[in-house]
Amino acid sequence: MAASDVTKMWWKLQDMVAHSSKVSSLVLGKSGRLLATGGEDCRVNIWAVNKPNCIMSLTGHTSPVQCVQFSSTEEQVVAGSESGSLRVWDLEAAKILRTLMGHKANICSLDFHPFGEHIASGSVDTNIKLWDVRRKGCVFRYKGHTQAVRCISFSPDGKWLASASDDSTIKLWDLTAGKLITEFTAHTSAVNVVQFHPNEYLLASGSADRTVKLWDLEKFKLIGSSEGETGPVRCMLFSPDGSCLYSGSEDALRVYGWEPDRCFDVVHVGWGKVADFAICNSQMIGVSCSQMNVSSYVVDLSRVKTSGSVIQGLIEDDKPLAAPTSKGPTLRRNYERPPTTCNTQKMKQHSDADRRSPEGERRSPSSDDEHDDKESNAEITNPDDYKEIFQPRNAILRTPPKKSEPFPAPFVEERYPVKPSPAAEVFTPIPDKLKASNATSTPILRVEPTVVASTSARPVSVVTASVALPSRNIVPTSKQKPSPVVIPSACNELVGLNVGDFLPPTRTGKTSVTADDEALNQIRKGHETMCVMLTSRHKNLDTVRTVWTGGDIKTSLDSAVSINDLSIVVDILNIVNLKPSLWKLDTCTTILPQIEELLQSKYESYVQTGYVSLKLILKRFWPLISETLTALPSVGVDITREERHQKCKACYKQLKNLSNIIKNRAEQVGRHGSTFKELQLLMAPLDY
């Protein structure tokens, strides 16, 4: 199968600026199609996944929002603030339902009861509170933890509540009796997340000690522990059928089984500090945040192993493991869920009554609460998307489709296209010295592609970057190493694309000659994708510009790097290179790893931008780095000098790595041969 026909296993779906200040919390709805974010700007914003604009902005909190959570039906959202207050909004009616007061510190965990009008909240004040939304008050308070309660979760039957805390313990509470059932203490660090099995009496927990543990809720004992995580476990989710457990850490998604313990698969996803994920058909949607930005990712679960041979654990043979079936008896009891038809109907009627009556069924509300509710608003910023998602005429469109995937997988990019035939392989002479200019984004000397006659009906444009010799035909041998492909800054036609490839073939296998309109229609199929890419790049640049306006150059460069898109880094560096005075020693430590990637890029403009940036760094900072590292130790304690010494040491280490890369590339006689030879001369002092 050709590389272009292979879809990616995971990919970034979207980057967006979610708030005007730092994003402090975010959560996905159960369907994986809705996203709620809370920020230090005291707002809660509602988004449709993969849509660029906020649907609704919920105001009313007077302190930063620390935690948000959707109800199971995604009709309500609750947000907890730094001051200890909760606000519940009805998303379909676009209005505030309740304001709940009682905690004395930050609220850091929330969950909706699966059947009733109740909400549980956990706080930094170590207390857990159960709230009745209809009566607008606290029903019960659970005490026992000694540090902040980081996660709480109701059992599927609604009878139990599990809480995880920074004190390394997990507590299980009986809601009916209002008392502690048991406590699990096997973790050695803060427990970040707990998750009930959807059917069986089983509880999973993930901790900052880099372990995932599973607990039997009949015998109240540990039945499994997996220690393959490379970082703190940030979120977990059982598969819909309960056959496996998905675990998310900073750089990977892992799939676990139990009894015996085993890891089915590891997918290295670059989602950073993932905050939450949800399953939508055979795709997993994950979200993470950095400063004001929120990023969403998709993992194709159809290509992830959830059974069979394992890669880590007690089982090491290649025999497939029997998948659990719903027909046979299970190892543990199943939850006994009450029938929900009547309850759902009553809840719906009550919800409709609340929408008709703004006050609902409040019992003796205080004047302060009235004032708080009046100041809470639901600002609909995108009416079309709001009506489409929350007030559809026929079906709720946020419910995922059953057959087709909502987010089609992109194709894997080819790093090395197929080489042309030997008869058409021509090498363009390269000038002795490339002239650099700081005024353009592609300051390298532009070389036009050479058009060579071919045996086919249409001319073939070939652009190569191999040997700087006079133009001549060369027959490659098996001993020659393939030279890296370089895409030039200017070209008369698209590299690697042929209009005939987009036209439908005839029965004879040859490209048919069609009318201009039909040919244009075929080519325009990719226009929407290109527009999405350009729109995403424009939004990313707006993000960096916003950070630059409110901060310094170091902060804006950190923001550009965190987006993980080299094109954004190139655009920012082309601006910074015009004003060398903007460069600081702190900036160098951030940019040098990016320069390393730019110098190894196949794009001519990227290489030249990295070349100009590295020249500026060497010119301005190499004397300082050399002098600082070779200076004799000072008498006494000089904190400023120590900090400068550490920064210089880090820069020197990065420059040393760059020196080795440049030395290897300078030995290759190619399009950038003179550029890398010049850099090699500039970096020669590093070898002494």
Side-chain angles (χ1 to χ4, degrees), residues 219-240:
K219 300 178 181 178
F220 301 115
K221 67 176 185 179
L222 180 68
I223 63 169
S225 179
S226 303
E227 301 182 358
E229 302 286 348
T230 57
V233 181
R234 304 185 62 86
C235 49
M236 293 188 311
L237 184 65
F238 279 100
S239 61

Side-chain angles (χ1 to χ4, degrees), residues 371-440:
H371 181 69
D372 289 338
D373 288 354
K374 287 180 181 178
E375 288 188 350
S376 299
N377 295 317
E379 302 171 1
I380 300 175
T381 58
N382 197 327
D384 293 336
D385 286 342
Y386 170 75
K387 291 179 181 179
E388 180 183 355
I389 294 173
F390 292 108
Q391 295 180 343
R393 293 182 179 179
N394 298 323
I396 299 178
L397 297 183
R398 65 175 177 270
T399 302
K402 295 182 179 180
K403 296 182 179 180
S404 61
E405 296 298 344
F407 310 116
F411 290 109
V412 177
E413 297 178 0
E414 293 186 46
R415 296 186 63 86
Y416 296 98
V418 180
K419 293 185 69 176
S421 61
E425 188 168 349
V426 177
F427 295 85
T428 306
I430 307 299
D432 294 335
K433 188 173 182 180
L434 300 174
K435 299 180 181 180
S437 171
N438 293 336
T440 62

Side-chain angles (χ1 to χ4, degrees), residues 543-557:
T543 301
V544 179
R545 182 184 62 82
T546 303
V547 176
W548 195 330
T549 304
D552 57 3
I553 179 64
K554 174 68 164 56
T555 308
S556 60
L557 284 173

Side-chain angles (χ1 to χ4, degrees), residues 415-419 425 427 464-467 476-486 665 668-669:
R415 296 186 63 86
Y416 296 98
V418 180
K419 293 185 69 176
E425 188 168 349
F427 295 85
T464 58
S466 297
V467 185
T477 63
S478 59
K479 295 183 180 181
Q480 290 179 337
K481 297 182 179 180
S483 302
V485 176
V486 176
R665 295 211 65 178
Q668 302 173 2
V669 182

Side-chain angles (χ1 to χ4, degrees), residues 9-62:
M9 191 171 186
W10 70 270
W11 62 95
K12 179 181 283 191
L13 188 63
Q14 185 183 26
D15 275 318
M16 60 187 181
V17 182
H19 289 267
S20 58
S21 58
K22 185 177 180 181
V23 177
S24 52
S25 59
L26 66 163
V27 67
L28 284 164
K30 187 178 180 180
S31 67
R33 309 300 297 274
L34 279 181
L35 171 68
T37 61
E40 292 184 354
D41 57 3
C42 308
R43 286 176 174 260
V44 176
N45 291 336
I46 308 298
W47 310 77
V49 175
N50 202 31
K51 288 197 175 183
N53 300 317
C54 174
I55 300 173
M56 189 187 308
S57 186
L58 311 175
T59 63
H61 280 294
T62 57

